[in-house]
Amino acid sequence: MKINKKHALATLVGAAVLATGMAQAAVSAQEAAKLGQSLTPIGAEKAGNAAGTIPAWTGGIVRPPAGFRVGTFHADPFAADKVLYQVSRANVAQYAEVLTPGQKAMFAKYPTFRMDVYPTRRSASFPQRTYDYTKRNATSCKLVADGEGIQGCAEGIPFPIPQNAYELIWNHKLKYKGLSVVSYSNQAAPTAGGAFTLIKLREEILGLYYKPGNTTENINNILLYFKQEVLGPARLAGQVLLVHETLNAKAAPRQAWVYNPGQRRVRRAPNVAYDNPGTASDGLRTNDMTDMFNGAMDRFTWTLVGKKEMLVPYNSYKAHSDKAKVKDLIRPGHLNPDFMRYELHRVWVVEAKLKAGQRHINSRRTFYLDEDSYQILLTDHYDGQGNLWRYSDAPSINYYEVPTFWSTLETHHDLKSGRYITGLLDNEDKPRDFGYQSTPANYSPQNLRTAGVR
């Protein structure tokens, strides 16, 4: 299948905004009235594209499939879909306009890399409460602190009609994920030959922003609490990481603590930020790559490039399934293409360029955000010399019991070394539990020592 150039790229919306420019004023009531009309309730274009290759959004998945039980892995509502076409090294040039530089580099480096492209299913949906508060936020939410904080927001997407890159990244960071969530975020960093040791991680999140009745003004600048416990292998088991993520990083930066079972002590961990290596990551993942991007934005200049149609990992229920064993997913160089699903979707494109005088291992990053959820689905990372270095993707699904659209895997490829790290490998444990009950008291540094498994 050849993609018509006329329809392969959506019209770029808006010229690149001034990097430091902040749309301080919220949108007008007249603009906000488009939400739920010509725009979806969170601000995507409701209509499909002119070519008919992207359908209209009709509500996403509004109820779980028949027979689904909470606590089980999510059955694929699109299991009957057939592959429309495959993109491989042999025909990659034919699809160049809907691929990122990182994706093209994957085809160039790995003869076995392949994209199976399926019909586009705009499955993303969120609770009605999220839609209601998103519409309120449209006329009240504002950026503060040079984009490092927000105010006047509650519960929903803060900027459903985004005016600049900062607002889009805040939409990603504040996308509804459930109030309290626990998950097995196991990760593997295979060698170039495919050998790996599974790092077993249990993670908890308590998002105060999503609690009914809370606003950006009454949560004491705490956006969310995050706790990560290492369950295995034995040499790492017992380590615990605690993070208090702030809503305004300029007013108060992220606070973090670690518990070391060998020393039996809790200590502050100021390096759990920016480009410091993630837990047991072999240097293949930085802290700010978790959830594709998190944390402070102040070291980069952020620019909204526009919106494009691109091939992205989407409705990745096959990779999410408990029938997909970790050993079957892991392959040398990349995950097994037989478990991957790609679709053509519209994405927002955001560039982040390192500011003069600031330090980070990346000189530039390009983020690709799904218009229907604001989930970052793809990232291209560039080294200090401006050369493409890493490529990341986040195969995602609709967790339809919530509902929310979120990643089910995160994979970061080092295009120089030929290695990669993949996380959220819960296939042989349990899926994310959105009914987990927790309180802020569970995330005090004083309680950290009791969380270790040794």
Side-chain angles (χ1 to χ4, degrees), residues 70-81:
V70 174
T72 63
F73 283 85
H74 299 72
D76 186 353
F78 312 116
D81 286 354

Side-chain angles (χ1 to χ4, degrees), residues 148 173 221-224 226 241-257 268-278 285-291 293-298:
E148 286 300 302
K173 293 202 292 184
N221 199 30
I222 299 294
L223 171 59
L224 59 83
F226 171 83
L241 168 66
L242 174 67
V243 176
H244 292 184
E245 184 72 1
T246 56
L247 188 68
N248 184 331
K250 196 169 230 184
R254 167 187 293 172
Q255 299 181 72
W257 299 262
R268 292 295 295 266
N271 291 333
V272 179
Y274 298 110
D275 57 352
N276 288 286
R285 176 179 62 82
T286 60
N287 283 304
D288 64 4
M289 289 163 69
T290 299
D291 198 20
F293 179 80
N294 73 94
M297 295 185 273
D298 59 329

Side-chain angles (χ1 to χ4, degrees), residues 120-173:
T120 298
R121 304 286 191 174
R122 295 180 68 178
S123 59
S125 61
F126 296 91
Q128 184 60 47
R129 188 179 182 93
T130 297
Y131 295 153
D132 294 342
Y133 276 86
T134 294
K135 193 160 190 174
R136 298 183 194 182
N137 287 342
T139 56
S140 65
C141 199
K142 299 178 182 179
L143 292 168
V144 296
D146 297 325
E148 286 300 302
I150 59 172
Q151 67 181 27
C153 319
E155 297 189 48
I157 298 293
F159 304 106
I161 304 177
Q163 307 296 302
N164 57 54
Y166 293 85
E167 292 183 350
L168 278 163
I169 297 300
W170 273 109
N171 287 352
H172 166 75
K173 293 202 292 184

Side-chain angles (χ1 to χ4, degrees), residues 194-369:
F196 68 93
T197 298
L198 188 68
I199 307 296
K200 297 203 67 173
L201 302 171
R202 181 186 181 276
E203 295 180 347
E204 297 178 20
I205 297 174
L206 175 62
L208 297 186
Y209 177 78
Y210 311 118
K211 185 176 181 180
N214 278 357
T215 71
T216 49
E217 281 61 60
N218 71 0
I219 56 177
N220 196 30
N221 199 30
I222 299 294
L223 171 59
L224 59 83
Y225 297 102
F226 171 83
K227 184 165 69 175
Q228 179 192 76
E229 303 173 48
V230 182
L231 304 181
R235 62 185 172 84
L236 300 175
Q239 287 184 202
V240 187
L241 168 66
L242 174 67
V243 176
H244 292 184
E245 184 72 1
T246 56
L247 188 68
N248 184 331
K250 196 169 230 184
R254 167 187 293 172
Q255 299 181 72
W257 299 262
V258 293
Y259 170 68
N260 185 304
Q263 300 174 346
R264 296 180 180 271
R265 61 188 292 255
V266 176
R267 58 183 176 83
R268 292 295 295 266
N271 291 333
V272 179
Y274 298 110
D275 57 352
N276 288 286
T279 302
S281 66
D282 278 5
L284 294 167
R285 176 179 62 82
T286 60
N287 283 304
D288 64 4
M289 289 163 69
T290 299
D291 198 20
M292 300 299 277
F293 179 80
N294 73 94
M297 295 185 273
D298 59 329
R299 293 189 181 181
F300 289 82
T301 294
W302 298 79
T303 305
L304 169 58
V305 178
K307 193 184 283 188
K308 295 179 66 176
E309 294 177 7
M310 306 200 73
L311 294 178
V312 294
Y314 218 93
N315 293 313
S316 304
Y317 291 95
K318 192 183 294 186
H320 164 82
S321 171
D322 56 346
K323 295 178 177 61
K325 303 306 179 185
V326 173
K327 66 179 179 60
D328 298 325
L329 282 167
I330 303 293
R331 289 289 181 268
H334 53 79
L335 295 179
N336 189 340
D338 293 344
F339 291 90
M340 300 296 113
R341 175 180 174 130
Y342 292 84
E343 299 178 6
L344 185 70
H345 284 261
R346 288 184 292 244
V347 298
W348 291 99
V349 184
V350 169
E351 288 275 7
K353 294 184 178 180
L354 189 63
K355 293 177 180 177
Q358 293 286 354
R359 187 194 64 78
H360 197 281
I361 60 172
N362 296 120
S363 63
R364 176 164 67 101
R365 286 182 284 187
T366 308
F367 299 94
Y368 304 86
L369 293 77

Side-chain angles (χ1 to χ4, degrees), residues 15 17 29 39 42 45 78 92 115 136 176 188 198 213 262 284 359 386:
V17 297
L39 301 177
I42 67 165
E45 297 173 51
F78 312 116
V92 64
M115 289 184 181
R136 298 183 194 182
Y176 182 70
L198 188 68
L284 294 167
R359 187 194 64 78

